[in-house]
Amino acid sequence: MNSLTCWWHHLCFTYDYIHHIISTFLDGELNNEQEFLLLSPVYGNWARLGQNFEARNSFSGDLTQVNVWNRALSHDEIQQMSRCETDPQGSYISWNAGWTLKAVSFYDLPLQQFCQQKIGITYFFFPNVPDKTAHYICQALGTELPWARSMEELHTLQNVSVASYPNHDNCHANYWMSLTDIVQENVWSFPNGTLVDDIFWAPYEPNGLRYENCAALSRYGVADINCDMQIRCAVCTFYKQQRFSLLGICERELRNVYFVAYQRNISELLFIGYGEYHIMLEDMTWVWIDVVNNVTIARMEEVDPYFPMGKRWWNLEQEVCGQKHGRRQLMLSPCPPEHFTCDDATCIPIYQRCDLKYDCRDNSDEYECQLVDFSQVRMTSKRNASKCS
């Protein structure tokens, strides 16, 4: 559950040669569109998959159902294939036509198995952290701390922890929750303000009066504890794979912008890019590296807590955006489109940016905002219109 588990995904590209638009579909859904000028026609009577002159640049993984058509498939056709409802063969290149295999192995799977995989819930564990750090880590990873509504759900979390990390008993029972009553005593709510009343308290809880405004999952239920004086295990719960974007690097190819987070060992994080980049902890320092060319691009400066999510200062060792060296501020964001990324990597709708009201927890949504005088814009437009008439 916490290893680098691989899952089948359906990937499709279409090209609109009239408008010069290449579209990318992931698992049947449109993922990206951008202009792309195809300078020469595609021709030939053979194709090569995965092979490169250097082994390190060759494809490593599993491939199947590689087909090419001499027309752009419709969205409906792509969705049907991604759901294993159809299995059409390409009119230009067909997977069933047969391939000459070199230094690879093969195995047979039924078509339906590609669409029957159940990813389930993934957990990242971070032992011995204070409340503020626990909230930051999970929210900056695009999720929240756990919320258990019963002893059964608590036992599920405990069982996963024991099975995954049997030698880390700190994460076997005591977990931070995303509940607080700091706004109003004995009125418990989530960070977004949603009130909660169906809490399965442990015996003799809550008992902290105004000194204990945070909640934690213990062996016997929920307990209220002191937010500032306690450390617990932070468990970040993922119901689907989260995509991250590294912003401020002037990359034209999105595969070098997008990353996915993994946890190989307890408390560790690794961000693997769609392309050649990784962001990882190396000798206690976060580094942004090109794993294909084995080059370190930048090293992150110290910050508390020391994680790369959000807006961070990096020291360049390779040229980025024309900047050859020195400090550069980058943003590792979990936010989806149409959202603004706060400096601490939390997300708000884009319309809340610069709306004269603080929406980010760190108030960064109101930084560097400028007022626009629309009356001057209209006057300038009228003058220009008069000159042209």
Side-chain angles (χ1 to χ4, degrees):
M1 188 167 293
N2 295 288
S3 62
L4 292 180
T5 305
C6 295
W7 306 99
W8 286 102
H9 291 281
H10 185 267
L11 183 63
C12 184
F13 301 93
T14 63
Y15 181 66
D16 181 345
Y17 70 92
I18 297 177
H19 300 97
H20 308 299
I21 299 294
I22 187 170
S23 302
T24 306
F25 295 83
L26 180 63
D27 295 330
E29 299 300 330
L30 181 63
N31 182 267
N32 181 59
E33 284 187 334
Q34 63 184 76
E35 291 187 8
F36 184 86
L37 181 59
L38 191 63
L39 298 178
S40 60
V42 177
Y43 62 92
N45 55 9
W46 61 275
R48 182 175 60 192
L49 295 178
Q51 181 185 352
N52 195 281
F53 294 108
E54 297 184 28
R56 67 178 184 177
N57 293 332
S58 296
F59 176 77
S60 177
D62 293 350
L63 279 174
T64 189
Q65 309 301 99
V66 179
N67 294 282
V68 180
W69 283 264
N70 58 3
R71 63 179 180 86
L73 300 183
S74 68
H75 193 178
D76 287 341
E77 289 177 303
I78 295 170
Q79 284 190 327
Q80 289 173 0
M81 285 189 289
S82 71
R83 297 168 184 164
C84 300
E85 297 173 358
T86 60
D87 184 24
Q89 296 300 302
S91 57
Y92 186 70
I93 295 177
S94 171
W95 179 253
N96 287 347
W99 299 80
T100 301
L101 302 181
K102 296 183 179 180
V104 298
S105 59
F106 71 93
Y107 56 97
D108 293 324
L109 286 178
L111 177 65
Q112 291 301 322
Q113 186 165 332
F114 300 121
C115 298
Q116 291 174 351
Q117 56 196 1
K118 295 181 179 179
I119 297 178
I121 302 174
T122 303
Y123 303 93
F124 286 5
F125 292 86
F126 302 89
N128 303 322
V129 296
D131 172 69
K132 289 184 178 179
T133 301
H135 279 277
Y136 158 75
I137 293 174
C138 291
Q139 291 180 349
L141 287 173
T143 184
E144 293 285 351
L145 291 166
W147 162 239
R149 292 176 290 271
S150 65
M151 288 300 296
E152 289 76 16
E153 293 184 6
L154 172 58
H155 290 158
T156 298
L157 194 59
Q158 291 171 341
N159 293 336
V160 169
S161 175
V162 172
S164 302
Y165 304 109
N167 298 324
H168 291 270
D169 56 0
N170 176 265
C171 281
H172 293 174
N174 300 307
Y175 315 104
W176 287 111
M177 295 181 68
S178 55
L179 294 178
T180 179
D181 72 340
I182 196 169
V183 176
Q184 183 178 347
E185 185 64 25
N186 290 327
V187 178
W188 294 86
S189 64
F190 291 120
N192 62 6
T194 303
L195 300 181
V196 180
D197 53 13
D198 55 338
I199 303 172
F200 66 107
W201 294 105
Y204 310 110
E205 299 285 355
N207 62 5
L209 300 178
R210 291 190 174 275
Y211 300 99
E212 298 183 345
N213 300 120
C214 288
L217 287 167
S218 68
R219 293 185 184 276
Y220 308 104
V222 180
D224 63 334
I225 62 175
N226 190 298
C227 302
D228 302 317
M229 303 295 292
Q230 301 283 337
I231 58 174
R232 290 288 190 274
C233 179
V235 185
C236 304
T237 308
F238 299 87
Y239 297 94
K240 64 178 181 179
Q241 195 174 60
Q242 181 71 43
R243 188 183 72 188
F244 295 80
S245 302
L246 184 60
L247 308 177
I249 61 175
C250 300
E251 279 284 351
R252 295 185 61 185
E253 296 188 43
L254 290 178
R255 66 187 181 93
N256 290 328
V257 174
Y258 293 150
F259 292 78
V260 174
Y262 294 95
Q263 187 175 64
R264 286 173 168 158
N265 298 300
I266 193 168
S267 80
E268 292 184 1
L269 270 180
L270 169 66
F271 295 88
I272 297 180
Y274 287 22
E276 60 256 36
Y277 296 151
H278 284 189
I279 298 173
M280 58 189 297
L281 201 61
E282 184 179 83
D283 296 329
M284 304 303 295
T285 300
W286 281 101
V287 293
W288 167 26
I289 62 175
D290 181 336
V291 294
V292 173
N293 298 299
N294 195 26
V295 171
T296 298
I297 302 173
R299 299 180 185 272
M300 197 181 88
E301 294 184 359
E302 288 285 342
V303 66
D304 186 29
Y306 193 54
F307 290 92
M309 300 86 73
K311 186 174 286 187
R312 298 288 188 255
W313 283 103
W314 295 74
N315 289 304
L316 301 181
E317 297 186 9
Q318 302 293 325
E319 183 175 332
V320 176
C321 300
Q323 181 180 343
K324 295 185 177 180
H325 55 78
R327 301 173 77 214
R328 184 172 184 85
Q329 205 168 43
L330 305 176
M331 171 77 80
L332 184 60
S333 167
C335 300
E338 305 302 324
H339 282 72
F340 172 77
T341 306
C342 307
D343 287 357
D344 62 0
T346 52
C347 310
I348 62 171
I350 191 64
Y351 63 80
Q352 293 181 339
R353 163 76 165 140
C354 293
D355 63 351
L356 303 180
K357 181 172 67 71
Y358 292 126
D359 298 290
C360 289
R361 184 170 49 195
D362 57 11
N363 300 337
S364 56
D365 56 310
E366 298 300 318
Y367 294 168
E368 300 179 356
C369 295
Q370 297 180 351
L371 293 176
V372 178
D373 189 345
F374 285 99
S375 62
Q376 294 297 323
V377 173
R378 287 195 296 270
M379 290 178 63
T380 303
S381 300
K382 288 181 179 178
R383 292 194 190 100
N384 292 337
S386 299
K387 291 178 182 179
C388 295
S389 59

